[in-house]
Amino acid sequence: MNIKNWVVAARLRTLPLSLSAVLAGCFMGVSKSGISAMSLILFILIVMTAVLLQILSNFANDYGDAVSGVDSDNRIGPRRALQNGDMTMSEMKKGIVAVTVMALITGTASLFLAFGTDYVNIAVFVLLGALSVIAAITYTVGLVYGYKGLGDISVFIFFGLVAVMGSSFMLSGNISMESILWGITAGFMATLVLNVNNLRDYESDRVNGKRSLVVMMGLKGGKIYHALLILSALISALICLIYHFSDSSMTGLSAWISLIPIAIASVYCIHPAHTGRELDPMLKKTSIAAALANLVCGAVLAWC
């Protein structure tokens, strides 16, 4: 077994964005529950589960795109493990099963630590966990809803609302308005990153039958949609910070400014002349900018 190949397949560069939304929720939860040995262990388990679910999503996406033929030689961006021939389909299937089992173990442990014998909350989060696993796998395998223009909705829900509100609730036992509003903002930012990917891959997706929203709307429509996502993220973040800082504190305005880099990185994608390979660097920049906004605003909403 070549560890390097598995690291490549895990796509570690995708972790900061998904983790940052979970961390934002954890910050809000810990700020209400207080720091203790139990909350620290729970925090670690939540983060581990989030990492494993992201890796599971990446493995399944690699497998599904290889089976469908979307990962052809014409694809822009880093080459995938199966596309390179670094591992076999059988090995990737085993990896998907292994990561799923590990996510179930850490997720189950976190639920019992968070809720004890509160079986209603445990049942709700077991359902959410099951849906997360199903969504990660069927994005490009089985239902392949990612090829039917439904990927944006899934990303908004699981990388935004569930990531922020779920982690906050597990640590604090309640859902705050800030966690709801920031969950919406994180959802818009995660969808924005996905749309950069879809704008970049427009031609190859169209040729290979992957019907992302950008393919459905056309490149011009995809860029208009991108502009709306930027505005939505900026406005929802501002609403969240205004709600939290009812006294119009400069701290809230300063935190909102942390979203400016994601706007700058994303505005580049809207220009009609910027397509294909020109957008590839923007994927990383947009993801880092969104992760920064999650961490900064999450910390500010928790402790200021």
Side-chain angles (χ1 to χ4, degrees), residues 70-127:
V70 170
D71 279 350
S72 64
D73 291 337
N74 295 325
R75 179 183 170 275
I76 301 170
R79 291 180 66 84
R80 307 276 177 79
L82 290 177
Q83 182 185 12
N84 269 344
D86 294 333
M87 60 179 62
T88 65
M89 294 285 194
S90 176
E91 288 175 325
M92 184 60 80
K93 284 182 181 178
K94 292 176 182 177
I96 290 172
V97 171
V99 175
T100 299
V101 170
M102 287 189 285
L104 289 174
I105 292 172
T106 59
T108 300
S110 67
L111 291 182
F112 280 103
L113 186 60
F115 303 124
T117 57
D118 185 348
Y119 297 116
V120 173
N121 277 328
I122 289 176
V124 170
F125 274 81
V126 164
L127 177 60

Side-chain angles (χ1 to χ4, degrees), residues 47-281:
V47 169
M48 287 176 63
T49 303
V51 169
L52 289 167
L53 287 174
Q54 179 64 65
I55 293 174
L56 171 62
S57 177
N58 293 339
F59 282 179
N61 186 254
D62 197 325
Y63 179 83
D65 283 349
V67 169
S68 67
V70 170
D71 279 350
S72 64
D73 291 337
N74 295 325
R75 179 183 170 275
I76 301 170
R79 291 180 66 84
R80 307 276 177 79
L82 290 177
Q83 182 185 12
N84 269 344
D86 294 333
M87 60 179 62
T88 65
M89 294 285 194
S90 176
E91 288 175 325
M92 184 60 80
K93 284 182 181 178
K94 292 176 182 177
I96 290 172
V97 171
V99 175
T100 299
V101 170
M102 287 189 285
L104 289 174
I105 292 172
T106 59
T108 300
S110 67
L111 291 182
F112 280 103
L113 186 60
F115 303 124
T117 57
D118 185 348
Y119 297 116
V120 173
N121 277 328
I122 289 176
V124 170
F125 274 81
V126 164
L127 177 60
L128 283 175
L131 289 174
S132 297
V133 171
I134 292 169
I137 294 174
T138 59
Y139 187 88
T140 55
V141 178
L143 294 175
V144 291
Y145 67 87
Y147 294 1
K148 301 172 184 176
L150 299 174
D152 297 57
I153 296 174
S154 176
V155 165
F156 181 87
I157 293 173
F158 291 104
F159 289 88
L161 296 175
V162 173
V164 178
M165 293 168 59
S167 54
S168 177
F169 184 81
M170 287 182 69
L171 281 158
S172 67
N174 65 77
I175 297 177
S176 65
M177 182 56 70
E178 285 89 347
S179 70
I180 295 172
L181 293 172
W182 194 259
I184 293 171
T185 303
F188 280 130
M189 292 193 295
T191 308
L192 188 68
V193 173
L194 174 64
N195 202 58
V196 176
N197 181 83
N198 291 340
L199 287 170
R200 181 198 68 183
D201 294 344
Y202 170 71
E203 287 297 339
S204 61
D205 285 349
R206 184 177 61 83
V207 170
N208 290 295
K210 180 177 180 180
R211 291 179 57 77
S212 66
L213 275 183
V214 175
V215 171
M216 291 180 174
M217 294 185 290
L219 194 56
K220 182 178 179 180
K223 287 179 177 286
I224 293 173
Y225 172 58
H226 199 74
L228 291 174
L229 286 173
I230 297 171
L231 288 174
S232 297
L234 292 173
I235 292 170
S236 61
L238 186 60
I239 291 172
C240 181
L241 291 165
I242 288 174
Y243 174 84
H244 183 74
F245 294 101
S246 56
D247 60 350
S248 301
S249 168
M250 286 301 294
T251 306
L253 178 60
S254 299
W256 185 79
I257 291 174
S258 70
L259 275 84
I260 300 302
I262 193 173
I264 294 173
S266 295
V267 163
Y268 180 91
C269 303
I270 299 172
H271 195 288
H274 299 157
T275 59
R277 295 187 185 279
E278 292 173 317
L279 297 180
D280 193 42

